[in-house]
């Protein structure tokens, strides 16, 4: 009787374990089974927010689950990023991060409330946002090489606009200066809009900023585009060379958007998210929408995105150190 009892217990234990495994597998297969919240750590209306909403809408349709966009702006994206870092790692709170939150902030802030690597799992690089180097049209520079020659002939005379210390515009131009050995004076503004307005008006010589913000002015002849910051030419402005091919070999300044999950999120959920994002991003509809924003999708795995992020932290850390930019 004792032997039968032991065997029965073992059989029951095996059945329970099997049912548990099946239940976990079913849960992972069924993810998500309730609404998913994507925190965008910037105000509504910006590129990260627009791409987050476009992606969220399509994920909601694909999953047949509600996807909520939660804007939590402030501190260069640090407030929203911290909220996700502290969230439960179950796949139901995600972050639409950026180069700013996960590559620039670590070197820019002496006291950051989150660790950009240790507190997150890199899920997918969602989009590469193209920045473009534009100048005031009357400026005697029709190419990147001509701009470099002019800047070297008149050290400190040329000026560039940015939306503030540590912004993408600021650091992208500091990288340009470092790689070209030029002296161009930084003029800070409270926002990319006023900065661009003064370049169009001729109060400032140039800026490196989002293509989506400059496209209409370029097409109207109010700005002259000299080069894009990405490794490849943009299909939106195919006639404009990359800065690298136009005279600064190796120059690349990606202003990217990527999805992150809290550290500890299961590999199965991360893999599912990555695959679903890739499937949506390769549709003609989404690619056309990204192109209209001066952005493109780059196929990648979570491991590739994580490696890319580490390289970006190292690159921008060097630029920040050389420029002296710091936020305490």
């Amino acid at each position: 009787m004792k032997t039968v009892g032991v065997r029965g217990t073992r059989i029951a234990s095996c059945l329970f374990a099997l049912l548990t495994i099946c239940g976990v597998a079913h849960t992972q297969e069924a993810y998500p089974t309730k609404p998913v919240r994507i925190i965008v750590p910037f105000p509504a209306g910006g590129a990260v927010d627009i791409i987050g909403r476009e992606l969220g809408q399509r994920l909601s349709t694909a999953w047949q689950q509600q996807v909520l966009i939660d804007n939590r702006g402030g501190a260069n994206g640090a407030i929203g990023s911290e909220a996700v870092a502290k969230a439960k790692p179950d796949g139901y709170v995600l972050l639409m991060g950026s180069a700013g939150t996960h590559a620039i902030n670590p070197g820019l802030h002496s006291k950051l409330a989150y660790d950009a690597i240790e507190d997150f799992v890199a899920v997918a690089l969602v989009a590469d946002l193209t920045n473009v180097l534009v100048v005031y049209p009357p400026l005697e520079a029709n190419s990147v090489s001509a701009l470099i020659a002019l800047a070297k002939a008149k050290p400190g005379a040329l000026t560039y606009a940015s939306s503030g210390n540590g912004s993408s515009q600021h650091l992208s131009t500091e990288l340009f200066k470092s790689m070209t050995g030029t002296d161009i004076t930084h003029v800070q503004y409270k926002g990319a809009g006023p900065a661009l307005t003064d370049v169009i008006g001729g109060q400032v010589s140039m800026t490196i900023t989002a293509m989506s913000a400059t496209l209409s002015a370029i097409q109207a002849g109010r700005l002259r585009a000299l080069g894009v910051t990405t490794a490849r030419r943009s299909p939106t402005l195919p006639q404009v060379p990359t800065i690298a091919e136009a005279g600064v070999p190796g120059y690349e300044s990606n202003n990217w958007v990527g999805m992150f999950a809290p550290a500890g999120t299961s590999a199965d959920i991360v893999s599912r998210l990555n695959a679903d994002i890739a499937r949506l991003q390769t549709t003609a509809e989404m690619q056309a929408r990204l192109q209209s924003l001066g952005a493109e999708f780059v196929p990648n795995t979570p491991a590739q995105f994580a490696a890319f992020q580490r390289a970006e932290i190292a690159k921008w850390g060097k630029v920040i150190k050389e420029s002296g930019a710091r936020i305490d």
Side-chain angles (χ1 to χ4, degrees), residues 144 226-234 240-247 251:
V144 170
L226 300 187
V228 294
T229 63
T230 43
R232 297 180 300 280
R233 291 195 184 201
S234 168
V240 178
T242 67
I243 292 175
E245 69 177 306
Y251 181 92

Side-chain angles (χ1 to χ4, degrees), residues 40-322:
V40 174
F42 300 102
V48 179
D49 175 68
I50 292 170
I51 291 172
R53 289 179 186 279
E54 291 283 346
L55 184 62
Q57 181 181 6
R58 287 166 173 78
L59 286 173
S60 180
T61 301
W63 290 339
Q64 294 297 295
Q65 283 289 345
Q66 190 175 17
V67 176
L68 307 170
I69 301 298
D70 183 355
N71 293 92
R72 296 198 190 183
N76 291 333
I79 293 173
S81 298
E82 181 186 3
V84 176
K86 294 178 177 178
K88 185 178 179 181
D90 58 3
Y92 290 95
V93 178
L94 305 169
L95 176 73
M96 192 58 64
S98 67
T101 61
H102 280 69
I104 292 173
N105 274 356
L108 192 63
H109 293 260
S110 59
K111 296 178 181 178
L112 196 58
Y114 62 89
D115 187 303
I117 292 176
E118 298 299 328
D119 290 342
F120 299 89
V121 177
V123 174
L125 177 61
V126 175
D128 251 344
L129 294 167
T130 304
N131 283 347
V132 59
L133 191 168
V134 292
V135 299
Y136 177 55
L139 190 72
E140 297 174 357
N142 292 314
S143 66
V144 170
S145 57
L147 177 66
I148 294 169
L150 184 62
K152 287 185 175 180
K154 300 178 180 180
L158 297 186
T159 54
Y160 78 89
S162 87
S163 59
N165 189 33
S167 65
S168 173
Q169 297 100 319
H170 174 210
L171 297 179
S172 291
T173 313
E174 288 298 322
L175 179 62
F176 178 83
K177 287 170 55 180
S178 174
M179 294 182 71
T180 58
T182 52
D183 179 8
I184 305 171
T185 303
H186 182 202
V187 181
Q188 297 186 49
Y189 289 82
K190 292 182 178 179
L196 194 58
T197 297
D198 273 9
V199 178
I200 292 172
Q203 285 80 22
V204 186
S205 309
M206 58 174 277
T207 188
I208 296 178
T209 193
M211 180 185 290
S212 57
T214 60
L215 195 55
S216 61
I218 291 169
Q219 293 169 338
R222 292 182 295 148
L223 288 172
R224 179 187 299 134
L226 300 187
V228 294
T229 63
T230 43
R232 297 180 300 280
R233 291 195 184 201
S234 168
T236 306
L237 290 174
Q239 75 280 12
V240 178
T242 67
I243 292 175
E245 69 177 306
V248 192
Y251 181 92
E252 185 177 357
S253 174
N254 291 356
N255 188 14
W256 46 266
V257 178
M259 182 170 283
F260 295 87
T265 302
S266 77
D268 290 313
I269 289 176
V270 171
S271 180
R272 168 74 188 275
L273 284 166
N274 181 277
D276 287 349
I277 290 169
R279 189 159 41 248
L280 293 171
Q281 295 293 70
T282 53
T283 63
E285 181 187 14
M286 189 64 177
Q287 288 189 348
R289 182 64 176 123
L290 288 175
Q291 186 174 329
S292 72
L293 296 169
E296 65 176 310
F297 168 63
V298 180
N300 64 100
T301 64
Q304 289 170 333
F305 181 33
F308 170 76
Q309 183 203 355
R310 288 176 184 274
E312 286 281 285
I313 289 174
K315 179 177 81 174
W316 290 119
K318 183 174 181 291
V319 174
I320 290 165
K321 185 176 180 180
E322 289 177 352

